[in-house]
Amino acid sequence: SRPSTTLDGMIIAHESLSQGLNEILLVNKGSGQSTTITTPTGGGQPNGSSYAPVISSSGKFVVFHSHASDLVPNDNNGHVDVFRYEVFNGRLTRLSLGPNGEEGNGGSFYPVISDDGTKVAFESHATNLDLDQTTSGKQIFLWTESNDTVSGTGTVSAVSNGNADSFDASISGDGARIVFTTFADDLVAGEADTNKNSDVVLWENGQFYYAGRAGDGLLPTIGSATERSLVTHEPSISSNGEVITFVSTARKMVRGKGISHILIEDVGV
């Protein structure tokens, strides 16, 4: 389940149930080879399930989140973590760590990866991944590989840092743009967010922009803006970063009948 493929469709990463646990498998359609990439350091079966694999377009990297604590040494935080697997050497790296290697004090989930595998966005409840983070709740983070690509290490920086939850991250091919769903109303400078619903927001170079507007240019709502509702969500950004799709149950998004719409918005270059 949850398959993710390379650009040419020849390599597939997917979830597979084995002895009651979810594991991540990598299948090469050309060679027919199937490899389990969630094997513990000592071999055997992991002590927890892994989910949501995403493979880079080139097929060199796979990211996923896992409940297992025996995939890498010294995993003692008791929380779900985000990992990156390097296909050609089998190295598995835990990404959801603080600036000095501190284990995350909250769970991290649903990573997405740039085309070259050097940038990974994910959502996390942890509050110690970035020293500049000032908020709690679920936030979006960006792991960036260090210039020393031989070691496979990198640093994590907070992207959203808003006053409410953010999730559903999607990243452009070059890693320069990230879109996500948020309930935060303090991200976009110079524009009040009064709809009290979830919004789709685009991040680029530390700036935020509303990407999920209704047909009249306003932020979408469902009736009166009196309570928090998941209205506009599940964004996905194209590899070139120019087109965003998202789901919305809001009124006046487009003309015509229907309950839920998939919308496409051109964000330009």
Side-chain angles (χ1 to χ4, degrees):
S1 61
R2 285 185 180 172
S4 176
T5 70
T6 54
L7 186 63
D8 62 6
M10 292 302 295
I11 304 178
I12 304 169
H14 68 94
E15 298 176 6
S16 179
L17 190 63
S18 175
Q19 300 182 50
L21 290 175
N22 235 42
E23 298 197 54
I24 307 300
L25 266 63
L26 195 65
V27 179
N28 188 313
K29 293 177 63 179
S31 65
Q33 182 179 5
S34 179
T35 304
T36 300
I37 67 174
T38 48
T39 302
T41 53
Q45 190 178 30
N47 60 11
S49 290
S50 300
Y51 300 93
V54 178
I55 192 168
S56 62
S57 62
S58 64
K60 293 182 179 180
F61 303 95
V62 181
V63 291
F64 59 91
H65 69 252
S66 182
H67 293 259
S69 62
D70 55 357
L71 300 183
V72 295
N74 303 315
D75 185 347
N76 303 306
N77 64 346
H79 294 292
V80 178
D81 285 302
V82 166
F83 296 85
R84 186 185 73 162
Y85 176 83
E86 299 177 45
V87 174
F88 293 102
N89 61 18
R91 179 167 57 189
L92 188 64
T93 304
R94 183 163 51 149
L95 307 186
S96 47
L97 298 173
N100 297 307
E102 305 95 331
E103 295 189 283
N105 59 10
S108 299
F109 310 86
Y110 299 109
V112 288
I113 190 167
S114 62
D115 286 349
D116 64 2
T118 62
K119 294 184 178 182
V120 178
F122 59 93
E123 59 191 65
S124 181
H125 290 280
T127 60
N128 63 339
L129 302 183
D130 182 352
L131 294 177
D132 293 328
Q133 184 185 357
T134 58
T135 57
S136 59
K138 190 183 296 183
Q139 304 292 341
I140 303 298
F141 294 85
L142 178 65
W143 177 88
T144 302
E145 189 173 47
S146 65
N147 292 329
D148 174 23
T149 56
V150 175
S151 66
T153 59
T155 57
V156 175
S157 56
V159 171
S160 56
N161 204 16
N163 62 4
D165 288 349
S166 297
F167 47 96
D168 285 346
S170 177
I171 193 169
S172 62
D174 62 2
R177 290 176 171 178
I178 298 171
V179 292
F180 54 92
T181 304
T182 188
F183 281 107
D185 61 11
D186 61 345
L187 296 180
V188 179
E191 184 172 358
D193 180 357
T194 58
N195 65 355
K196 297 189 182 299
N197 298 321
S198 64
D199 293 300
V200 169
V201 169
L202 167 70
W203 171 90
E204 182 180 21
N205 294 325
Q207 300 297 314
F208 298 93
Y209 310 90
Y210 288 119
R213 296 181 184 274
D216 55 9
L218 301 177
L219 296 178
T221 61
I222 49 172
S224 60
T226 57
E227 60 182 16
R228 197 172 85 159
S229 300
L230 185 65
V231 175
T232 305
H233 54 104
E234 297 181 37
S236 179
I237 191 167
S238 61
S239 179
N240 65 7
E242 295 184 7
V243 177
I244 296 170
T245 64
F246 57 91
V247 175
S248 182
T249 55
R251 301 175 181 177
K252 299 181 180 180
M253 296 301 292
V254 294
R255 292 184 178 181
K257 298 180 179 180
I259 297 175
S260 183
H261 306 279
I262 297 178
L263 302 176
I264 300 175
E265 181 160 325
D266 188 347
V267 299
V269 293

